[in-house]
């Protein structure tokens, strides 16, 4: 059974940093690209970042470019999102998701809430 | 950026109804469209990809159609477990995909 479990969310002050993790199991993690997608409270979905299976290709939404860094450790079956210079508008539930093909996400974690507030 | 407009944004329907949700793209996206279902407090669930391909395990009452700029998600006979919010996602500009604003389906 495919499982994705996010962790690392919490309350952080504006300008602060947070590192999200996503532990994957039930599939060959090293064979799949992975995505981070977020959802602000009461709002819709927003693609944040994607990383290819071997980390050769990395992409970011304009809203987070230069502040967030996606990475993965295939030996540990783990995906990460380092978030720096956090802003109030980054407040959201962050989901990690497996990429079925071309950005379509077929399995999602339960999400982890990031709240940026003073 | 490619914008997706879903209509309606809110829909009230009864069990057994046929429901159709539309997603319009601001420019042509071929068949690079996916549909997701999200229930409150839960992660989205993939229903349809490549505009019309049913994801494994998804009931056959769900179907998708369209290409270019206009797409539809149809639920042939609404079931109690189908009350949720539905999102479309365009992947033509991969990896910079965008989602529609969502359609909330509630019980009449």
């Amino acid at each position: 059974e495919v499982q994705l479990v996010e962790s690392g969310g919490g309350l952080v002050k504006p300008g602060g940093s947070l590192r999200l993790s996503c532990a994957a199991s039930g599939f060959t993690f090293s064979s799949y690209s992975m995505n981070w997608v977020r959802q602000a409270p009461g709002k819709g979905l927003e693609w944040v970042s994607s990383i290819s299976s071997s980390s050769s290709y990395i992409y970011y939404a304009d809203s987070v470019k230069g502040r967030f860094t996606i990475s993965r450790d295939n030996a540990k079956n783990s995906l990460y999102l380092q978030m720096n210079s956090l802003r109030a508008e980054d407040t959201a539930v962050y989901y990690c998701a497996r990429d079925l093909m071309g950005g379509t996400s077929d399995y999602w974690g339960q999400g982890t809430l990031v709240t940026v507030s003073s | 950026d490619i914008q997706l407009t879903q209509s309606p944004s809110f829909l009230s329907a009864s069990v057994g109804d046929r429901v159709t949700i539309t997603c319009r793209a601001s420019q042509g996206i071929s068949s690079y469209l996916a549909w997701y279902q999200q229930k409150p407090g839960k992660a989205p669930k993939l229903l349809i990809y490549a505009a019309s391909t049913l994801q494994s395990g998804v009931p056959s009452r769900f179907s998708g159609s369209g290409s270019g700029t206009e797409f539809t998600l149809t639920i042939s006979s609404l079931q109690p477990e189908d009350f949720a919010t539905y999102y479309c996602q365009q992947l033509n500009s991969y990896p910079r995909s965008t989602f529609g604003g969502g359609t909330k389906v509630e019980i009449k």
Side-chain angles (χ1 to χ4, degrees):
Chain A
E1 178 194 5
V2 172
Q3 282 202 316
L4 297 168
V5 180
E6 301 96 335
S7 61
L11 175 63
V12 61
K13 289 181 167 54
S17 298
L18 216 50
R19 188 194 196 206
L20 306 184
S21 299
C22 172
S25 61
F27 66 103
T28 305
F29 180 72
S30 59
S31 296
Y32 287 85
S33 295
M34 297 293 294
N35 305 314
W36 286 102
V37 177
R38 69 184 180 183
Q39 186 170 36
K43 302 297 185 182
L45 300 165
E46 179 188 16
W47 169 76
V48 173
S49 182
S50 296
I51 186 168
S52 63
S53 58
S54 60
S55 304
S56 297
Y57 300 97
I58 286 175
Y59 307 100
Y60 299 99
D62 289 344
S63 57
V64 307
K65 193 178 295 184
R67 300 186 299 122
F68 289 12
T69 302
I70 191 173
S71 62
R72 64 190 295 161
D73 185 336
N74 286 343
K76 295 183 177 180
N77 290 340
S78 293
L79 176 72
Y80 306 101
L81 188 67
Q82 177 67 42
M83 304 186 295
N84 298 331
S85 303
L86 282 161
R87 307 166 179 167
E89 54 264 37
D90 296 318
T91 294
V93 174
Y94 285 74
Y95 296 101
C96 71
R98 190 180 81 168
D99 193 294
L100 172 65
M101 62 176 197
T104 301
S105 295
D106 61 347
Y107 286 94
W108 299 61
Q110 85 287 352
T112 187
L113 176 63
V114 172
T115 304
V116 184
S117 174
S118 55
Chain B
D1 286 4
I2 298 174
Q3 311 297 322
L4 294 179
T5 303
Q6 287 185 235
S7 61
S9 54
F10 176 86
L11 187 160
S12 182
S14 301
V15 172
D17 283 354
R18 181 181 181 88
V19 167
T20 299
I21 298 169
T22 298
C23 179
R24 290 188 174 87
S26 59
Q27 63 189 73
I29 58 170
S30 185
S31 296
Y32 296 109
L33 190 100
W35 289 97
Y36 299 88
Q37 175 194 68
Q38 187 179 34
K39 296 181 179 180
K42 301 294 186 182
K45 173 187 175 183
L46 178 64
L47 299 175
I48 303 281
Y49 63 95
S52 61
T53 302
L54 193 68
Q55 170 67 348
S56 176
V58 174
S60 59
R61 63 181 179 273
F62 291 92
S63 64
S65 65
S67 66
T69 61
E70 187 154 333
F71 302 83
T72 59
L73 172 70
T74 300
I75 309 172
S76 60
S77 178
L78 198 65
Q79 298 302 300
E81 61 268 29
D82 300 337
F83 292 95
T85 300
Y86 294 84
Y87 293 94
C88 56
Q89 179 197 22
Q90 69 80 18
L91 302 127
N92 186 73
S93 56
Y94 174 79
R96 291 171 180 79
S97 66
T98 51
F99 291 86
T103 295
K104 187 173 185 180
V105 177
E106 289 200 343
I107 302 173
K108 182 183 281 186

